[in-house]
Amino acid sequence: MMAEKEKEKEKKHALLLGRYEMGKLLGQGTFAKVYHARNVKTDEDVAIKIIDKEKILKGGLIAHIKREVSNLRRVRHPNIVQLFEVMATKAKIYFVMEYVKGGELFNKVAKGRLKEEVARKYFQQLVSAVGFCHVRGVFHRDLKPENLLLDENGDLKITDFGLSAVSDQIRQDGLFHTFCGTPAYVAPEVLARKGYDAAKVDVWSCGVILFVLMAGYLPFQDPNVMVMYRKIYRGQFRCPRWFSPELVKLLRRLLDTNPDTRITIPEIMENRWFRKGFKHLKFYVEDDHQVCSLDDVESDDPGSASDQSMSESDNEPMTPRAKVPGMPRPASMNAFDLISYSPGFNLSGLFEEGGERSRLVSHAPLSTIVARLEKMAKDVDFTVRKKDCTVTLEGPASGTKGPLTIAAEIFELTPTLVMVEVKKKGGDKGAYDQLLNHILKPAIESLKAGDPGEEGSLKREDSDEGSLRREDSEEGSFKREDSGSA
């Protein structure tokens, strides 16, 4: 018995941070190594990026690491590798990330060009994810096949946001000025070193990727890097004979050397070649951790193709606004729960980000409160989702911080008294305060016991809200170059 306990103790000590069983090395760079690992508590496969603190301190990359973490938390999407948690010891920083089993898209392209329908599928997923990032003010700036992974279902996942930037970094001239990217994928305006629009730079890289997927080689390539840069700067490339006229036309707009006339993400999503078989992906985020996909929706009408209203919230899939019967009885609160809500004892702020909360008390029954929340949501054009005794409301607009998302959780204080705890889960704080104070609070506080909640309509007020190298023939094999800054 003692021997078994000792073995269990040794096994626990062998686990990384007490719960991750480390596996094989997946890859490594100058400052970090990435390992496959398993969470022994959930049996979930993850990838753990282990960063040497001393090396990044010497390299002055602390701000770089913080930016990568911040940006990954900002862009939770089914086609972006997810960051689950970040931990640190005195010597190491650990990124616990989604494990993507299919490897790099680079490896698939290195075997030869892809069929048009396959290349189009990857390009559609890439553009959808990049557009999602741009709406949230995040720009990747190093898109290339090596930074695109494939999962077990063959779906694309963007990774490596190490060179990404946010709109907050834009200078007074409205442009970025950092010279970065991978040589063969870098846009001509970056080479000019006069400032650039990072969204247009990502579009250029998407164009180079599409060309590579369809041709099997790079549009701009030369053994002499300076000669290659001149080709990029002049936009000198030739499409192979198997490219359709529609594809050629799209590539000419993607690889337009003038960023002012270069095609935009919404315009790409309305393009005829792009839209063939395109499915607009709906999804939600469960418990700020896992991205969950809903059924794909065919996008045959022009309006839906450029729609950016992807859900980024916290509970169950979107449901119709009609009331779902049989919600469970709300959780009861004891004296200790109530004490913990007083300002002097509430420690939730130490563990939660953006925890704007408000608590309302009502004598109305659960069904009446839920009906009132649903009516309020309908009047301001919000989507409603329900799970247990939590009602999540999500707005239609999507700013840099995502759609305004509010969760209202209902607790039972006594058999005739309930508390509604309202929390902002996403979106702009100003918009949240306005909705809370001018619409939600009055709607709940006006309820009485037995009130069916059918008052007049509520009106919404406006709120603010290295790469690939071509060899010998046009369809030659590829070699990997060093990635990183151009």
Side-chain angles (χ1 to χ4, degrees), residues 243-259:
F243 281 19
S244 67
E246 284 182 347
L247 175 59
V248 172
K249 189 176 179 181
L250 174 59
L251 281 165
R252 294 290 178 194
R253 295 212 58 202
L254 287 162
L255 301 177
D256 183 349
T257 56
N258 183 352

Side-chain angles (χ1 to χ4, degrees), residues 30-72:
T30 308
F31 302 102
K33 293 182 179 180
V34 181
Y35 291 88
H36 173 245
R38 184 179 66 89
N39 186 325
V40 295
K41 293 182 179 179
T42 64
D43 202 35
E44 177 185 21
D45 285 319
V46 296
I48 298 184
K49 183 177 180 179
I50 304 177
I51 302 168
D52 190 303
K53 262 189 182 178
E54 186 178 353
K55 287 183 179 179
I56 63 168
L57 284 170
K58 286 181 179 178
L61 295 173
I62 286 293
H64 174 99
I65 297 298
K66 287 181 178 178
R67 185 167 67 247
E68 183 176 4
V69 172
S70 174
N71 289 353
L72 280 170

Side-chain angles (χ1 to χ4, degrees), residues 276-462:
K276 290 180 182 176
F278 177 59
K279 293 185 176 182
H280 182 63
L281 187 63
K282 299 282 186 180
F283 66 94
Y284 67 101
V285 176
E286 184 172 10
D287 300 326
D288 295 321
H289 177 78
Q290 184 178 4
V291 177
C292 305
S293 299
L294 303 180
D295 292 335
D296 291 344
V297 181
E298 288 283 357
S299 293
D300 291 324
D301 62 294
S304 62
S306 60
D307 182 16
Q308 295 290 336
S309 61
M310 296 179 180
S311 167
E312 187 194 17
S313 300
D314 304 275
N315 293 307
E316 284 298 291
M318 294 185 205
T319 58
R321 290 194 179 100
K323 182 182 174 186
V324 179
M327 285 187 75
R329 181 178 176 182
S332 297
M333 285 188 163
N334 57 33
F336 293 103
D337 295 322
L338 295 174
I339 290 170
S340 73
Y341 280 122
S342 68
F345 292 93
N346 185 8
L347 303 180
S348 62
L350 296 177
F351 308 104
E352 299 171 1
E353 295 183 6
E356 292 88 353
R357 294 172 181 264
S358 185
R359 299 179 179 94
L360 311 171
V361 176
S362 176
H363 287 282
L366 172 66
S367 59
T368 301
I369 293 172
V370 172
R372 173 57 60 88
L373 289 171
E374 288 182 317
K375 177 170 175 52
M376 185 210 78
K378 184 177 181 180
D379 288 340
V380 295
D381 198 26
F382 272 46
T383 301
V384 176
R385 296 195 306 276
K386 289 177 285 191
K387 180 180 180 182
D388 298 332
C389 289
T390 299
V391 179
T392 302
L393 314 174
E394 183 176 293
S398 182
T400 58
K401 295 183 180 179
L404 175 61
T405 308
I406 298 172
E409 188 171 4
I410 304 168
F411 298 91
E412 183 181 77
L413 300 178
T414 71
T416 59
L417 187 66
V418 298
M419 182 182 77
V420 182
E421 182 177 82
V422 182
K423 180 182 179 183
K424 180 176 80 71
K425 303 295 287 183
D428 181 70
K429 186 179 184 301
Y432 166 76
D433 290 339
Q434 190 169 33
L435 183 72
L436 175 69
N437 295 322
H438 297 287
I439 297 179
L440 198 151
K441 271 187 178 180
I444 298 299
E445 290 173 350
S446 65
L447 286 176
K448 299 176 182 177
D451 186 347
E454 291 297 329
E455 290 189 355
S457 287
L458 296 162
K459 294 182 180 179
R460 179 174 59 185
E461 298 183 25
D462 291 336

Side-chain angles (χ1 to χ4, degrees), residues 96-344:
V96 181
M97 309 179 77
E98 178 184 4
Y99 175 57
V100 185
K101 299 178 181 178
E104 296 176 4
L105 182 59
F106 174 93
N107 297 327
K108 198 176 185 81
V109 179
K111 297 174 183 177
R113 61 187 171 98
L114 306 181
K115 292 181 179 179
E116 184 170 336
E117 59 270 21
V118 177
R120 183 171 16 232
K121 170 195 164 185
Y122 292 144
F123 184 68
Q124 288 168 342
Q125 293 179 341
L126 171 64
V127 169
S128 296
V130 170
F132 183 86
C133 291
H134 289 180
V135 167
R136 278 148 186 80
V138 176
F139 311 96
H140 192 283
R141 302 195 300 179
D142 194 24
L143 293 168
K144 54 186 176 179
E146 293 94 322
N147 287 339
L148 305 177
L149 307 179
L150 300 175
D151 66 13
E152 62 270 26
N153 300 316
D155 291 321
L156 179 143
K157 301 268 186 178
I158 301 176
T159 187
D160 197 353
F161 279 74
L163 293 179
S164 62
V166 292
S167 52
D168 298 344
Q169 295 171 261
I170 296 175
R171 293 192 191 174
Q172 289 183 350
D173 60 4
L175 302 171
F176 289 89
H177 291 261
T178 308
F179 184 71
C180 64
T182 300
Y185 295 85
V186 73
E189 60 267 31
V190 177
L191 299 177
R193 296 178 181 264
K194 292 181 180 178
Y196 57 87
D197 180 336
K200 296 293 183 73
V201 166
D202 280 349
V203 168
W204 174 279
S205 299
C206 288
V208 178
I209 290 168
L210 176 59
F211 188 100
V212 169
L213 297 180
M214 284 296 302
Y217 59 87
L218 284 159
F220 310 102
Q221 185 60 32
D222 195 278
N224 186 312
V225 175
M226 295 312 298
V227 173
M228 181 181 69
Y229 281 169
R230 278 199 293 271
K231 289 181 179 180
I232 292 172
Y233 197 73
R234 295 169 184 168
Q236 296 176 344
F237 70 96
R238 183 170 60 88
C239 293
R241 62 186 180 277
W242 56 85
F243 281 19
S244 67
E246 284 182 347
L247 175 59
V248 172
K249 189 176 179 181
L250 174 59
L251 281 165
R252 294 290 178 194
R253 295 212 58 202
L254 287 162
L255 301 177
D256 183 349
T257 56
N258 183 352
D260 293 333
T261 55
R262 190 176 303 152
I263 195 170
T264 64
I265 293 289
E267 288 171 342
I268 294 170
M269 298 180 81
E270 291 179 2
N271 178 269
R272 189 173 173 182
W273 184 88
F274 177 91
R275 288 170 53 76
K276 290 180 182 176
F278 177 59
K279 293 185 176 182
H280 182 63
L281 187 63
K282 299 282 186 180
F283 66 94
Y284 67 101
V285 176
E286 184 172 10
D287 300 326
D288 295 321
H289 177 78
Q290 184 178 4
V291 177
C292 305
S293 299
L294 303 180
D295 292 335
D296 291 344
V297 181
E298 288 283 357
S299 293
D300 291 324
D301 62 294
S304 62
S306 60
D307 182 16
Q308 295 290 336
S309 61
M310 296 179 180
S311 167
E312 187 194 17
S313 300
D314 304 275
N315 293 307
E316 284 298 291
M318 294 185 205
T319 58
R321 290 194 179 100
K323 182 182 174 186
V324 179
M327 285 187 75
R329 181 178 176 182
S332 297
M333 285 188 163
N334 57 33
F336 293 103
D337 295 322
L338 295 174
I339 290 170
S340 73
Y341 280 122
S342 68

